Amino acid sequence: LAKTTQPISMDSYEGQEVNITCSHNNIATNDYITWYQQFPSQGPRFIIQGYKTKVTNEVASLFIPADRKSSTLSLPRVSLSDTAVYYCLVGFNTNAGKSTFGDGTTLTVKP
Amino acid sequence: NAGVTQTPKFRVLKTGQSMTLLCAQDMNHEYMYWYRQDPGMGLRLIHYSVGEGTTAKGEVPDGYNVSRLKKQNFLLGLESAAPSQTSVYFCASSPPTPSYEQYFGPGTRLTVT
């Protein structure tokens, strides 16, 4: 299984930038790195994905170093509504059963 | 476009009873998945399907069966429910692209007493 390690929890304040790092030492050549957000009583929601270097969309940025053994999700200027659990997932679709979500990082944004 | 829908939203079973959870998607996705999520924990993959008529075991398949008779539907069955199967069940689907972008349903909260 493509195993990932993330911090269990993080705290931040409104307006700050938050960086959540995921470790995936046994990432395979074909694996993509995908991040999801989950609010209580809801299913996870796709945030961003990447293969290497940097990816940015309207919600977040994803930084992936050259060795791809870790990745960092960056959330700019967080608000209270960004309080959620964030999951890092490593894998690729045609190997669907080989990846796990792990326990995620609980981000709490304070006023 | 409803996306991924799950039926029912809530269910209470007695130990030993059986039930089927239905997942439907209208995005013409090839891949579908069933996960369970216990309180305070991440999602664990139960079974998945890479196409109509095919299914495979995930991380925690024991006590569950699945069927994918139609591309848009993925059924999860519990033949003899146990209290350990009390959980929230999420269905997801994804297109056949190399990346791992999955679209999730709203979940089914199952309690087995």
Side-chain angles (χ1 to χ4, degrees), chain B residues 10-68:
Chain B
F10 303 93
R11 185 72 186 268
V12 178
L13 287 179
K14 294 189 187 313
T15 298
Q17 287 185 320
S18 63
M19 78 162 295
T20 300
L21 281 65
L22 170 65
C23 176
Q25 53 97 2
D26 61 3
M27 296 173 283
N28 202 35
H29 285 169
E30 289 293 330
Y31 300 156
M32 297 187 74
Y33 314 81
W34 275 108
Y35 293 90
R36 62 175 287 174
Q37 185 173 36
D38 299 330
M41 298 181 66
L43 287 85
R44 291 184 290 171
L45 183 64
I46 305 172
H47 285 281
Y48 63 101
S49 168
V50 299
E52 181 179 318
T54 70
T55 63
K57 295 180 180 179
E59 186 185 0
V60 289
D62 294 342
Y64 305 95
N65 56 76
V66 288
S67 65
R68 183 102 181 265

Side-chain angles (χ1 to χ4, degrees), chain A residues 16 26 43 51 80 84 93-94 99 104-105 108:
Chain A
Q16 290 188 332
N26 61 342
Y51 184 79
L80 296 177
N93 228 7
T94 50
S99 298
T105 297
T108 303

Side-chain angles (χ1 to χ4, degrees), chain A residues 9-22:
Chain A
S9 63
M10 295 181 68
D11 289 342
S12 182
Y13 291 93
E14 282 191 292
Q16 290 188 332
E17 178 184 72
V18 171
N19 295 309
I20 306 174
T21 297
C22 179

Side-chain angles (χ1 to χ4, degrees), chain B residues 81-103:
Chain B
S84 61
Q85 294 178 304
T86 293
S87 190
V88 179
Y89 291 85
F90 289 103
C91 175
S93 70
S94 64
T97 59
S99 68
Y100 222 159
E101 181 175 353
Q102 299 178 45
Y103 297 78

Side-chain angles (χ1 to χ4, degrees), chain A residues 31-36 45-57 59-64 68 71-73 87-93, chain B residues 94-95 97-103:
Chain A
D31 286 345
Y32 279 72
I33 300 158
T34 312
W35 285 81
Y36 290 84
R45 182 176 71 104
F46 169 85
I47 300 176
I48 195 167
Q49 71 177 15
Y51 184 79
K52 60 181 179 181
T53 62
K54 176 184 174 182
V55 180
T56 297
N57 62 21
V59 176
S61 294
L62 178 60
F63 298 92
I64 306 169
R68 303 201 328 123
S71 59
T72 299
L73 174 72
Y87 295 97
C88 162
L89 188 67
V90 171
F92 65 101
N93 228 7
Chain B
S94 64
T97 59
S99 68
Y100 222 159
E101 181 175 353
Q102 299 178 45
Y103 297 78

